[in-house]
């Protein structure tokens, strides 16, 4: 029986390739994910080990929760130097510094920091060209910044720090140990020490940390303990090795999430692959019915028949796992190189490795998925009586009652899980519900296939080949349903995400037109140490005096502590004006300027905290020595703006990490053009290219543009699932052509031309693909609308349907059907008529 199975497998090489290909792609994604994250984790570990190679011990002020740490004084550095075992202690100054490119725009990175520091000459940095900065109008720039911005020694460069734009002369270009242009794509600038202190920390004679070098014979751990004992509990004292590990662990934690995302899409790909493998083995078993019946009549047991099919699945799974693992290593290496290139190619990869997790998951997933998909057809084959199997009508259509009832129950279970998941914000229940719902819909698909396929096919059956193609796609509901279900999964997920993002966009547009009663919005695009780009308060005063401006209100923002809870707070310049611009209506209290000890908040936050007008609230602000007590003066009716935010008086901003304005809103006078006022306001920010002045429509467009990016990323990742579904259509048609060889020969014999055969196969493919897309759109709409309903409390109040996108998906599905039909159609057209008629 073993020999017979292997001979049967090897005699049908095309079937073997088509069966394995879907699993190969899924396994490739799984193994590639593990290879990518393993490579990046080791690379970042090496990076931070190099970055802290010159640091034996580091001393920095300890940041208490909710407070901004006080910088170090020269006396603190002197105290460190006095510790026995200290060879040297150098004060470090570091803070945000954003370079402005030659195009006048702030230069950005792909997540790497933009910072400035004081040049000490003792770090990893070495001058490559020119010299170190010596005067207050000079800076040295990193080689990566120089290359990216096309700067050279002698050029001028403008920088944004805690102060408005300042221009410096580039005295030198520096590199890092080993000749690196950068450590990881950062944009770094070195100042003289006094300039760095003023621009980066806002004070003179202060430092953000101390780098300590141990004397010969003193271990890093011993020195750390000695320095910690000298400095006391108000400082963080760590070895360079500890700092390197902490930094690497932070990055690796982020990579874990990245890996989970990739594995999630790999799971989708494998889920789609199960449909294809199931369909493949169903066709294979149907084609081998006579063969298996002969084996049964010769004495093979049911167990041996099942074992024969499962063995074939194991061989296919093994081959697919090996090939998928090898492909995954290549894909992981490719993605790692692409990832490193986002940092200017300066993340040196630690060498491509194949972790044991990649090997185990590849073989476990590849073989288990294939065997699971083969078991059902194997059981079905073993139940056919040998005598019945030898007849022509060995595989008659079976009733769809049981599978339909089962599908309805499974779909209901999936829907219930989704409902509980959304209600309890449980991701396992949500993802589990989606998976179960997909299975339920797939089981219900056969009962839908005949009427829907017939309806879709009528659009293409204006000729005899089209009519035959339509009937062929409807003749086996189970096969058509499984093939269409593979495409349905990818289309439904993309459609669901599109519905959510379209609804979010529509909600923001409604908010902007309904509750945002302002003509111009002034905000920053950049980030500075977790804070948005800001501008000085006197600029807001100048805006208020600009011709055509009726009123202007702005706020600074920061996180504050209420007990152990972190809350978002804004220090508003004019509470009544803000209430008017945001259409805030009193729930309790009255709209009036906030006194220095008063605050306002939305009703949902007040209900959550149990606060009412008159309640006393103690808040710890970043620069406050002790918590400050505020009295609730105004609670507004639930609104889509400033959800979950505390509104504090303008005086509170002095205790924020930055007291500058983060956002401002302008109302123009009646009869005055907002565009004209915008032109008058924009020159006020000539020295701050991070700040933009926009009207409402431009602000909404900018805010929602990120949704387009998210959708594009998901479409790219789900393209693999759709590609596998396309292979499923090709697979089904190719095996169907083999199965219908004799039938095709007879059609050719009675006069059907090759072009007509190809048209018939193409119609069948297009009908199946469009059927899958229609199913996907329906399921995706249901999932998307359910998600929007669940997110109502999160600000998505409107349901938006992406009609244009859905039409595009239908068109793409039809195109997919045409592409998928090419190879099977050519194969069918090339069949020798006499050989096909004689085919058994």
């Amino acid at each position: 029986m073993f020999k017979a199975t292997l001979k049967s497998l090897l005699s049908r090489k095309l079937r073997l390739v088509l069966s394995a290909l879907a699993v190969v792609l899924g396994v490739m994604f799984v193994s590639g994910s593990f290879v990518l994250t393993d490579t990046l984790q080791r690379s970042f570990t090496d990076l931070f080990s190099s970055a802290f190679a010159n640091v034996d011990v580091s001393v920095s002020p300890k940041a208490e929760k909710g407070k901004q740490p006080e910088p170090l004084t020269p006396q603190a550095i002197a105290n460190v130097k006095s510790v026995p075992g200290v060879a040297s202690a150098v004060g470090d100054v570091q803070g945000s510094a954003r370079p402005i490119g030659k195009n006048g725009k702030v230069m950005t990175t792909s997540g790497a920091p933009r910072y400035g520091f004081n040049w000490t000459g003792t770090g990893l940095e070495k001058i490559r060209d020119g010299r170190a900065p010596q005067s207050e109008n000079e800076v040295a720039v990193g080689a990566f910044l120089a290359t990216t911005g096309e700067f050279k020694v002698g050029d001028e460069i403008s920088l944004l720090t805690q102060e408005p734009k300042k221009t410096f002369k580039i005295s030198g270009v520096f590199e890092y140990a080993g000749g690196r242009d950068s450590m990881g794509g950062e944009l770094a600038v070195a100042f003289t020490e006094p300039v760095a202190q003023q621009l980066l920390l806002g004070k003179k004679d202060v430092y953000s940390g101390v780098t300590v070098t141990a004397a010969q014979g003193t271990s890093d751990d011993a020195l750390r303990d000695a320095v910690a004992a000298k400095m006391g509990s108000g400082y963080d004292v760590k070895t360079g090795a500890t700092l390197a590990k902490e930094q690497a662990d932070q990055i690796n934690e982020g990579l874990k999430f990245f890996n989970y995302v990739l594995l999630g899409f790999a799971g989708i790909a494998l889920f789609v692959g199960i449909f294809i493998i199931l369909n493949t083995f169903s066709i294979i078993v149907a084609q081998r019915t006579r063969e298996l019946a002969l084996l049964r009549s010769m004495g093979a047991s049911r167990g041996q028949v099942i074992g024969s099919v499962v063995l074939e699945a194991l061989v296919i799974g093994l081959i697919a796992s090996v090939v998928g693992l090898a492909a995954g290593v290549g894909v992981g290496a490719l993605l790692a190189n692409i990832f490193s290139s986002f940092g200017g190619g300066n993340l040196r990869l630690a060498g491509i490795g194949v972790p044991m997790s990649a090997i185990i998951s590849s073989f476990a997933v590849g073989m288990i998925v294939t065997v699971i998909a083969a078991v059902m057809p194997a059981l079905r084959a073993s139940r056919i009586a040998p005598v019945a199997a030898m007849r022509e009508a060995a595989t008659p259509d079976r009733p769809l009652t049981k599978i339909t009832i089962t599908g309805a129950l499974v779909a209901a279970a999936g829907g219930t899980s989704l409902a509980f998941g959304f209600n309890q914000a449980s991701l396992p229940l949500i993802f589990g519900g989606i998976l179960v719902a997909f299975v339920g819909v797939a089981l219900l698909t056969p009962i839908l296939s005949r009427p829907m396929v017939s309806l879709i096919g009528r659009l293409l059956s204006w000729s005899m080949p089209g009519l035959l193609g339509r009937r062929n796609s409807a003749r086996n509901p189970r096969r058509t349903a499984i093939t269409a279900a593979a495409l349905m999964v990818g289309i439904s997920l993309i459609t669901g995400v599109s519905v959510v993002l379209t609804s979010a966009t529509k909600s923001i547009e409604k908010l902007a037109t309904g509750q945002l009663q302002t003509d111009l919005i002034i905000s920053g695009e950049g980030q500075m140490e977790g804070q948005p780009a800001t501008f000085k308060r006197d600029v807001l005063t100048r805006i208020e005096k600009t011709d055509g401006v009726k009123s202007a209100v702005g706020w600074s923002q920061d996180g504050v502590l209420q007990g152990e809870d972190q809350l978002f707070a804004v220090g508003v310049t004019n509470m009544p004006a803000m209430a008017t611009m945001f259409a805030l209506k009193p729930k309790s209290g009255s709209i009036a300027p906030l006194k220095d000890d008063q605050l306002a908040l939305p009703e949902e936050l007040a209900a959550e905290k149990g606060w009412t007008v008159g309640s006393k609230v103690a808040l710890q602000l970043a620069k406050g020595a002790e918590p400050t007590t505020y009295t609730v003066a105004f609670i507004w009716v639930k609104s889509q703006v400033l959800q979950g935010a505390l509104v504090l008086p303008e005086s509170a901003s002095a205790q924020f990490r930055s007291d500058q304005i983060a956002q401002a809103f302008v109302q123009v006078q009646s009869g005055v053009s907002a565009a004209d006022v915008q032109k008058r306001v924009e020159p006020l920010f000539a020295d701050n290219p991070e700040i933009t002045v926009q009207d409402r429509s431009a602000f909404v467009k900018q805010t929602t543009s990120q949704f387009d990016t998210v959708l594009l990323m998901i479409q790219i990742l789900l393209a693999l699932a759709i590609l596998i579904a396309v292979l499923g259509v090709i697979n089904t048609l190719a095996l169907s052509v083999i199965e219908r060889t004799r039938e095709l020969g007879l059609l050719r014999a009675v006069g059907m031309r090759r072009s007509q055969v190809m048209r018939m196969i193409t119609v069948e493919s297009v009908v199946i693909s469009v059927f899958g897309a229609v199913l996907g759109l329906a399921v995706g709409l249901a999932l998307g609308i359910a998600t929007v309903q669940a997110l109502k409390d999160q600000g998505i109040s409107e349901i938006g349907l992406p009609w244009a996108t859905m039409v595009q998906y239908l068109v793409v599905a039809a195109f997919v059907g045409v592409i998928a039909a090419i190879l099977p159609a050519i194969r069918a057209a090339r069949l020798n008529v006499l050989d096909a008629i004689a085919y058994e």
Side-chain angles (χ1 to χ4, degrees), residues 473 480 483-484 487 729 732-733 763-773:
S473 57
T480 300
T483 306
L487 187 60
V729 178
T732 298
L733 292 174
V763 168
E764 184 176 350
S765 176
V766 171
V767 168
I768 293 174
S769 298
V770 172
F771 174 45

Side-chain angles (χ1 to χ4, degrees), residues 39 207 392 472 521 581 747 751 840:
T39 301
Y207 300 87
E392 282 290 332
N472 286 336
I521 297 98
M581 289 186 184
L747 288 172
E840 288 290 336

Side-chain angles (χ1 to χ4, degrees), residues 348-472:
R348 294 187 178 179
L349 297 178
I352 304 301
V354 184
M356 188 56 65
S357 56
I359 298 173
I360 293 174
S361 62
S362 294
F363 285 97
V365 168
M367 297 183 73
I368 289 173
V369 164
T370 311
V371 170
I372 288 175
V375 165
M376 289 178 61
L379 289 172
R380 194 160 59 243
S382 68
R383 292 176 183 150
I384 301 175
V387 175
M390 291 181 190
R391 297 198 303 267
E392 282 290 332
T395 56
D397 285 345
R398 289 165 289 133
L400 300 175
T401 306
K402 289 183 179 179
I403 194 173
T404 301
I405 293 173
T406 303
L409 293 174
V410 172
T416 303
S417 177
L418 274 172
F420 278 110
F422 283 133
N423 187 48
Q424 300 176 13
S426 170
L427 285 178
L429 281 176
I430 292 172
F431 289 135
I434 290 174
L435 180 64
V436 173
F438 278 145
V439 173
V441 173
L443 293 174
L444 287 171
T445 304
I447 198 68
L448 301 172
S449 65
R450 271 191 177 145
M452 289 188 66
V453 164
S454 179
L455 180 62
I456 295 169
R458 287 184 185 279
L459 300 174
L460 304 170
S461 56
W462 61 81
S463 62
M464 184 54 66
L467 179 61
L468 290 174
R470 186 191 79 181
R471 290 179 176 175
N472 286 336

Side-chain angles (χ1 to χ4, degrees), residues 224-308:
R224 174 199 60 200
D225 296 340
V227 172
K230 175 71 175 180
M231 300 302 291
S233 60
Y235 299 87
D236 281 324
V237 184
K238 299 176 182 179
T239 63
T242 300
L243 289 172
K245 184 178 184 304
E246 288 178 352
Q247 294 289 331
D249 287 346
Q250 283 184 358
I251 294 292
N252 291 339
E253 191 63 33
L255 290 176
K256 281 184 181 178
F257 176 77
F258 180 59
N259 195 36
Y260 293 151
V261 172
L262 291 178
L263 289 175
F265 284 103
I268 294 170
L270 286 169
F271 183 62
V272 174
I274 288 177
F275 286 108
I276 296 173
I277 298 299
L278 179 64
N279 210 18
T280 300
F281 276 92
S282 296
I283 298 173
I284 289 172
V285 169
Q287 291 176 357
R288 293 177 57 197
T289 300
R290 281 193 175 189
E291 175 188 326
L292 296 174
L294 286 171
L295 291 173
R296 288 287 308 281
S297 65
M298 293 169 62
S301 65
R302 287 183 61 187
Q304 286 178 311
V305 170
I306 295 173
S308 172

Side-chain angles (χ1 to χ4, degrees), residues 515-670:
Q515 290 185 270
L516 199 60
Q517 304 298 318
T518 180
D519 298 299
L520 300 177
I521 297 98
I522 303 169
S523 59
E525 298 177 347
Q527 289 287 321
M528 183 182 72
E529 297 177 332
Q531 292 287 304
T534 58
F535 59 93
K536 289 193 171 184
R537 292 178 174 272
D538 62 353
V539 178
L540 183 63
T541 303
R542 292 161 65 187
I543 292 172
E544 291 175 328
K545 297 177 180 179
T546 301
D547 289 342
V549 172
K550 178 182 179 182
S551 63
V553 62
W555 67 54
S556 53
Q557 61 188 58
D558 201 1
V560 298
L561 279 180
Q562 189 267 318
E564 292 297 315
D565 294 338
Q566 180 89 26
L567 299 174
F568 175 71
V570 298
V572 67
T573 60
N574 188 329
M575 181 66 197
M578 189 191 78
T580 300
M581 289 186 184
F582 292 164
L584 302 181
K585 299 178 181 179
K587 174 77 174 178
S588 55
S590 58
I591 301 174
L594 291 175
K595 297 179 181 179
D596 289 345
D597 62 347
Q598 291 181 328
L599 62 80
L601 71 160
E603 66 170 320
E604 59 268 28
L605 181 58
E608 177 187 333
K609 294 291 186 179
W611 297 338
T612 58
V613 170
S615 294
K616 303 293 183 181
V617 180
L619 300 176
Q620 177 62 62
L621 277 60
K623 293 182 180 178
E626 298 293 336
T628 303
T629 300
Y630 292 92
T631 302
V632 176
F634 170 50
I635 298 175
W636 67 80
V637 176
K638 185 175 181 180
S639 170
Q640 298 298 323
V641 294
L642 288 173
Q643 286 186 326
L646 293 175
V647 176
L648 303 181
E650 185 176 10
S651 59
S653 303
Q655 300 300 316
F656 287 176
R657 281 178 289 174
S658 171
D659 69 342
Q660 298 192 110
I661 302 297
Q663 279 192 301
F665 306 87
V666 178
Q667 274 187 332
V668 303
Q669 295 172 358
S670 178

Side-chain angles (χ1 to χ4, degrees), residues 52 100 112 120 213 215 239 340 354 397 416 443 448 453 492-493 506 537 594 598 654 658 677 731 741-742 746 748 753:
F52 293 101
I100 299 172
T120 62
T213 304
T239 63
S340 71
V354 184
D397 285 345
T416 303
L443 293 174
L448 301 172
V453 164
S492 61
L493 289 173
K506 189 173 180 180
R537 292 178 174 272
L594 291 175
Q598 291 181 328
S658 171
V677 175
N731 202 4
T741 299
R742 192 174 186 183
L746 289 171
R748 289 292 312 283
R753 298 188 301 275

Side-chain angles (χ1 to χ4, degrees), residues 168 194 209 222 234 303 638 796:
F168 298 85
K638 185 175 181 180
I796 303 181

